[in-house]
Amino acid sequence: VALGAAEELAKENIEAEADALHIIAQKADGALRDALSMFDRISIFANHKIEYATVVENLNVLDYDYFFKLTDAFLAADTSVSLLTFNTILQKGFDGENFLSGLSDLLVAKDDSTQVLMDSSEGIRKRYTQQAAYTPSSFLVSGLALLNESEFQYKASKNKRLCVELVLIKLCHLPHA
């Protein structure tokens, strides 16, 4: 299938990054017509060069870079960066629940054998693997427990933003706890 898609792209004189195509496929959620529609719209808008950043922006998808930046902030115990990053995410129109669930892929990336469970492109998977390599397993396990707990609290919380901010602060202090 990938080879056929590559031939079609070449025929249409369209350049596309693998990470960008993966995001389109994820967003289409198995609906071929939706994927083709998104692909056509983005290729025209992007002048036949489909890049990851363009797809993320046009399809209103939360960029993985936020998760990488946050994990670095957690490991550095940088509460300010984590709270400001979350604020930026909220300003872009994303909700806290989707954000919380997106933080969990790092543990899966820690072990080569479980990386096949990740629903991400090879490029994103590689970035997760690099970050997981220098992230202690104890942090990942404790962090996932905090995230799981906070997802339950989020649903019942009247102040959802505060719920997420509290877990971000806890994650920043976790390496030193």
Side-chain angles (χ1 to χ4, degrees):
V1 173
L3 183 59
E7 289 173 4
E8 284 299 314
L9 289 171
K11 230 191 291 185
E12 296 290 329
N13 198 27
I14 298 173
E15 294 177 50
E17 294 176 357
D19 291 344
L21 295 176
H22 188 84
I23 294 294
I24 292 171
Q26 273 184 320
K27 190 76 171 181
D29 196 28
L32 183 58
R33 284 188 195 147
D34 290 348
L36 290 172
S37 174
M38 286 183 251
F39 178 82
D40 287 341
R41 183 180 46 172
I42 292 170
S43 69
I44 291 168
F45 174 78
N47 201 21
H48 298 288
K49 186 172 183 177
I50 300 175
E51 297 174 330
Y52 174 78
T54 305
V55 171
V56 165
E57 183 180 328
N58 284 286
L59 296 182
N60 198 32
V61 174
L62 187 57
D63 191 342
Y64 288 103
D65 284 337
Y66 288 113
F67 299 120
F68 299 124
K69 182 178 182 178
L70 280 165
T71 302
D72 287 338
F74 300 152
L75 294 172
D78 195 336
T79 305
S80 298
V81 167
S82 68
L83 293 175
L84 291 170
T85 302
F86 179 58
N87 187 60
T88 300
I89 290 167
L90 290 177
Q91 287 175 340
K92 290 183 177 271
F94 296 101
D95 73 12
E97 188 171 16
N98 290 339
F99 164 73
L100 286 172
S101 64
L103 282 172
S104 62
D105 275 340
L106 198 57
L107 183 62
V108 177
K110 188 73 171 171
D111 187 326
D112 291 343
S113 64
T114 58
Q115 290 176 8
V116 296
L117 301 173
M118 296 177 68
D119 186 20
S120 61
S121 67
E122 188 62 36
I124 298 298
R125 193 174 303 131
K126 183 177 179 182
R127 289 183 65 198
Y128 270 115
T129 302
Q130 290 168 344
Q131 195 172 49
Y134 63 81
T135 305
S137 294
S138 60
F139 172 83
L140 294 172
V141 172
S142 299
L144 276 176
L146 282 172
L147 288 169
N148 186 49
E149 180 184 312
S150 69
E151 284 189 58
F152 286 115
Q153 293 171 348
Y154 184 88
K155 290 176 174 98
S157 178
K158 291 183 187 212
N159 189 343
K160 296 186 183 312
R161 180 181 180 132
L162 179 61
C163 181
V164 175
E165 289 173 340
L166 283 172
V167 77
L168 293 176
I169 292 168
K170 287 178 184 179
L171 286 166
C172 285
H173 289 80
L174 191 60
H176 307 291

